Amino acid sequence: MTAPLVDIADLVIGYDTGMRQVRALDGASLRIDEDETLAIVGESGSGKTTLGMAAGRLLPPEAKVIGGSIHVAGVDVTRADDEALRRLRHDKLGFVFQNPTTALDPTLRIGRQVALAMGGRPPPEAIAELLSRAELNESERILRAFPHELSGGMAQRVVIAMAIARRPHLLIADEPTASLDASIREKVMSTLGRLRAESGASLVILSHDLRMVARHADRVAVMYGGRIVELGSVTRVMQAPAHPYTRALLTAAAGNERPGERLCPIPGTPPILESRCEACAYADRCAFRETRCDTERPEARPFLGREVVCHRAEAVIGAPTQARQEDR
Amino acid sequence: MRLATYLLPRVLAALVTLLGVSVLVFLSLRLLPGGYADILLGPFVTPEARAVIAQRYGLDQPLVVQYLRWVWAMLGGDFGVSMVTQRPVIDELLRRAPVTLQLALIALVLALAVGYPLGVLSGVRAASRRKRRDFGRVIGAMGASVPDFVLGSVLIFVFSVWSLWFRVGGYVPLGVDPVGNLRTMLLPGLTLSVFGVALILRTTRDAVLRVMTEPHITAAVARGASPGAIIRRHILRNAAIPVVTVVATYFGFLLGGAVIVEVLFSVPGVGLYIFNGLLNRDYAIVQAGVLLAAMVFITINMLADVLYALIDPRVGVSR
Ligand SMILES: Nc1ncnc2c1ncn2[C@@H]1O[C@H](COP(=O)(O)OP(=O)(O)OP(=O)(O)O)[C@@H](O)[C@H]1O
Ligand SMILES: [Mg+2]
């Protein structure tokens, strides 16, 4: 068996914030294969961005890797020197950020920025061809524009074009549609999916919108409290979630609410960890909680064709469902 | 947005400022003890002689009338006549302006050449090491807090004792002897530039630190751009935006306010002329000099606003 494209093992990352340290990742483990789309979902603060940025060691200086390892395309990311990292980012990785207008240099014309992303002085046809792959027409006008002159959707397509310019093996998109109009989210997601399929790269989508990303992904990883709590194929996980948090996420966004109707949010708030969690981080909010959940840290285990971090997976999967499965 | 609509409010604000400056300089001169008569005729001046002088220069009129006459004459292009030399003030000012301009340019070039690169370096270092107390901070704080006259006096002392190549005083026009000119102008230029170095260094450093946390820099790092390329292509340009404003203010200050240094080093520029005018209570000189300096200052800042709009497309002046 060949080594996976990404192998993250037991990763622990903390942010130094003056007085205390916030533990954003508390033993996250994840493998990503070649040529797949993986969705990583979780509420705000669950550690998605930290995990995604860690893959390219793009974390801010206050972030400290406390334990675990990250291997991407054969590079030991936590140990590699600056030049090896730069090569890895340059040759193998592509990033798409949440807010496209701030991800572009406000003082440079789009044409210049795209050219820089392509590695200097590409012929004009190559630039136009790249933009059209990202479904941007009118490339003349766009190339002459400054970032603030583009709509959010266009700017995000430019960012996507720049991310695929050097044919990365791994494309990491952090909430790529969160700042866009609802009407174009699906289209931008489809573009990303199409580009991935054409290039045979792997795509990681970080999002809090489980239903939306599930339509575009092969596998889904659910994050909670800085760990991956359930990881499996989209079909399996969505049809029969084995982690109570996944189950709650699906109920919260059942997809059958009418416009204007409020979603039922998951009661309680996600934890902010300061040290290793010695219990189940979700216990406080969990309907399936038992004594063990408060005293014993659950470890990842294989369960019905997926991996789950829950003492009560058997009970969760057997429980009657309310609002699930409607739109798949 | 059109350039005109961008500039119009600024022009209006400038006019209001000039009005304020004119009132201020006019009043503060009148509030100073003594007048031209005391200077001209000495301490034992008789009331009669004083009255003759006052009448001759219209100083016997009510202040409002004096002020309005002055402003009215200026609107007609007449900036007044020096009581001491009986020559039009504007001619004297224009004759000295190139000297002050040269001094200002020397100080500006020195300040930019030292302050900007050091600011970038210090900002990049501070950002990458998360260490906020580096040399940039120290130089910035020191340079900004040493007064011109202290630094100037030290330099004069040092270079009077060991002349080295420099010369203290003994101004020679640039056109007559370029090398001799530089020998006398470099020390005052250097004195003036120290504050500028500190100012530009600090502004640049803060701007660089701010730019480095912007997402588009992370995006460039994520694309695998080399640190040198990121600094050259993204940081320098973005960090220049606030620096432009500060440099313009500094340059305006140099053009209008190099009085102390010009006096200290006997550089026959506008500042020395205004200073002497003040000593002689030669009202026309000080009034016209200060007002013109304010005008230059405001114009420079307005130009900076335009330049700012050219560097930062978001400000949005169509070109
Ligand atoms: N620069 C930082 N300094 C301090 N704490 C941080 C920093 N960045 C993230 N954190 C903390 O780390 C935890 C995980 O944050 P992260 O941004 O990875 O979550 P996320 O899942 O991406 O959330 P979101 O949906 O809001 O983007 C949060 O508790 C957050 O407050
Ligand atoms: Mg995030």
Side-chain angles (χ1 to χ4, degrees):
Chain A
M1 207 180 109
T2 56
L5 180 58
V6 177
D7 189 352
I8 296 176
D10 215 13
L11 188 61
V12 181
I13 289 181
Y15 289 97
D16 289 332
T17 61
M19 277 160 282
R20 55 183 200 155
Q21 196 180 52
V22 175
R23 197 169 261 232
L25 295 183
D26 184 33
S29 299
L30 179 65
R31 284 157 167 252
I32 302 171
D33 295 320
E34 310 265 356
D35 204 6
E36 72 157 333
T37 302
L38 172 73
I40 301 183
V41 294
E43 282 167 296
S44 186
S46 56
K48 305 180 295 288
T49 300
T50 308
L51 187 63
M53 299 298 262
R57 209 160 96 194
L58 290 168
L59 297 166
E62 61 267 28
K64 297 282 180 304
V65 177
I66 299 163
S69 65
I70 311 166
H71 288 84
V72 176
V75 177
D76 185 344
V77 172
T78 55
R79 298 230 181 84
D81 62 27
D82 288 350
E83 180 54 21
L85 273 177
R86 197 188 65 71
R87 290 238 69 87
L88 173 71
R89 294 168 187 147
H90 186 273
D91 300 340
K92 302 282 168 60
L93 302 182
F95 284 84
V96 176
F97 300 93
Q98 171 164 355
N99 187 338
T101 39
T102 61
L104 294 166
D105 186 329
T107 63
L108 293 180
R109 289 179 199 278
I110 300 296
R112 179 89 182 109
Q113 305 198 43
V114 174
L116 284 176
M118 294 173 79
R121 304 188 186 285
E125 313 85 66
I127 302 183
E129 200 266 336
L130 179 65
L131 289 195
S132 75
R133 278 209 287 148
E135 290 163 36
L136 279 167
N137 314 317
E138 294 187 79
S139 60
E140 285 288 293
R141 185 179 78 76
I142 290 171
L143 290 176
R144 254 185 290 110
F146 286 102
H148 72 278
E149 294 166 343
L150 299 184
S151 71
M154 279 178 166
Q156 192 60 297
R157 286 177 189 282
V158 169
V159 170
I160 291 171
M162 288 167 70
I164 61 165
R166 291 178 314 281
R167 308 195 159 273
H169 294 208
L170 175 65
L171 202 55
I172 297 177
D174 189 352
E175 306 269 13
T177 61
S179 69
L180 306 181
D181 275 359
S183 57
I184 55 170
R185 287 187 185 157
E186 274 299 318
K187 289 192 197 128
V188 170
M189 287 301 295
S190 314
T191 308
L192 267 175
R194 203 200 77 239
L195 288 168
R196 186 213 71 76
E198 282 172 13
S199 65
S202 291
L203 170 63
V204 177
I205 307 164
L206 314 179
S207 172
H208 57 263
D209 188 344
L210 175 53
R211 294 227 162 230
M212 204 235 348
V213 288
R215 281 195 288 278
H216 300 273
D218 308 316
R219 289 197 303 153
V220 59
V222 179
M223 273 196 95
Y224 191 84
R227 301 177 79 185
I228 307 281
V229 295
E230 184 163 7
L231 173 63
S233 81
V234 166
T235 345
R236 280 219 177 83
V237 172
M238 299 280 289
Q239 269 173 12
H243 195 285
Y245 178 61
T246 317
R247 194 183 143 99
L249 275 182
L250 281 169
T251 318
N256 56 0
E257 63 280 340
R258 288 181 197 85
E261 201 175 335
R262 274 201 64 202
L263 304 177
C264 103
I266 308 170
T269 48
I272 295 176
L273 301 176
E274 293 182 22
S275 59
R276 181 181 151 96
C277 186
E278 294 299 350
C280 172
Y282 188 62
D284 282 345
R285 301 167 79 183
C286 184
F288 297 84
R289 178 185 195 172
E290 58 176 31
T291 352
R292 193 155 52 127
C293 305
D294 290 318
T295 56
E296 195 183 316
R297 178 180 164 104
E299 290 306 331
R301 58 182 169 122
F303 179 73
L304 293 178
R306 78 199 75 185
E307 278 199 38
V308 65
V309 177
C310 176
H311 296 309
R312 305 275 291 141
E314 289 78 4
V316 176
I317 211 154
T321 62
Q322 317 112 13
R324 250 175 34 196
Q325 299 176 343
E326 274 78 6
D327 73 353
R328 277 196 73 86
Chain B
M1 197 170 32
R2 301 266 319 285
L3 192 61
T5 44
Y6 179 72
L7 277 182
L8 192 67
R10 287 168 171 76
V11 172
L12 288 179
L15 289 179
V16 173
T17 311
L18 285 179
L19 197 69
V21 169
S22 71
V23 172
L24 265 181
V25 65
F26 182 86
L27 280 182
S28 46
L29 273 178
R30 301 306 189 274
L31 286 176
L32 282 181
Y36 178 57
D38 306 87
I39 307 292
L40 185 68
L41 305 171
F44 306 112
V45 55
T46 61
E48 291 75 25
R50 199 191 282 277
V52 171
I53 299 240
Q55 199 194 357
R56 167 132 184 237
Y57 294 103
L59 301 178
D60 51 349
Q61 304 286 322
L63 283 187
V64 181
V65 175
Q66 288 187 42
Y67 176 77
L68 289 178
R69 273 188 183 169
W70 172 49
V71 172
W72 183 248
M74 268 196 309
L75 290 178
D78 174 10
F79 285 83
V81 170
S82 159
M83 299 189 241
V84 177
T85 62
Q86 298 299 322
R87 292 175 53 181
V89 168
I90 189 75
D91 293 355
E92 298 284 320
L93 281 171
L94 288 180
R95 205 159 62 80
R96 287 164 169 81
V99 179
T100 298
L101 179 67
Q102 191 204 347
L103 189 59
L105 283 175
I106 291 176
L108 184 71
V109 168
L110 284 177
L112 271 176
V114 179
Y116 194 62
L118 280 187
V120 171
L121 194 67
S122 151
V124 170
R125 274 170 49 110
S128 60
R129 303 191 184 176
R130 301 229 311 131
K131 197 171 62 173
R132 295 288 148 111
R133 278 180 302 280
D134 65 339
F135 72 91
R137 268 248 161 125
V138 179
I139 299 181
M142 278 187 354
S145 53
V146 178
D148 278 349
F149 67 88
V150 172
L151 184 68
S153 308
V154 170
L155 287 183
I156 287 177
F157 174 73
V158 169
F159 288 98
S160 307
V161 177
W162 302 278
S163 151
L164 300 181
W165 177 78
F166 299 101
R167 231 167 40 203
V168 175
Y171 172 80
V172 193
L174 186 63
V176 174
D177 174 8
V179 177
N181 172 274
L182 274 187
R183 286 174 70 180
T184 63
M185 292 290 264
L186 272 179
L187 285 184
L190 189 69
T191 308
L192 277 175
S193 75
V194 166
F195 176 72
V197 168
L199 187 71
I200 292 170
L201 195 160
R202 280 210 293 204
T203 312
T204 310
R205 179 180 190 277
D206 292 351
V208 166
L209 274 173
R210 210 170 34 247
V211 171
M212 299 232 345
T213 64
E214 280 174 14
H216 68 89
I217 298 297
T218 310
V221 175
R223 283 193 294 274
S226 69
I230 293 176
I231 292 175
R232 260 182 293 121
R233 290 178 184 136
H234 304 291
I235 295 181
L236 286 187
R237 203 178 157 89
N238 278 280
I241 294 170
V243 176
V244 165
T245 316
V246 162
V247 164
T249 314
Y250 174 60
F251 191 52
F253 154 82
L254 288 174
L255 284 181
V259 179
I260 295 176
V261 169
E262 285 189 9
V263 172
L264 214 53
F265 287 87
S266 318
V267 177
V270 173
L272 186 59
Y273 184 60
I274 296 179
F275 179 77
N276 286 329
L278 189 65
L279 287 186
N280 292 332
R281 301 291 185 268
D282 201 340
Y283 292 161
I285 292 180
V286 183
Q287 285 174 184
V290 170
L291 204 64
L292 284 177
M295 241 182 251
V296 168
F297 187 85
I298 288 168
T299 312
I300 301 262
N301 276 292
M302 219 166 339
L303 288 180
D305 276 350
V306 174
L307 191 60
Y308 185 103
L310 293 183
I311 300 185
D312 187 348
R314 283 164 300 184
V315 178
V317 174
S318 66
R319 270 148 299 154

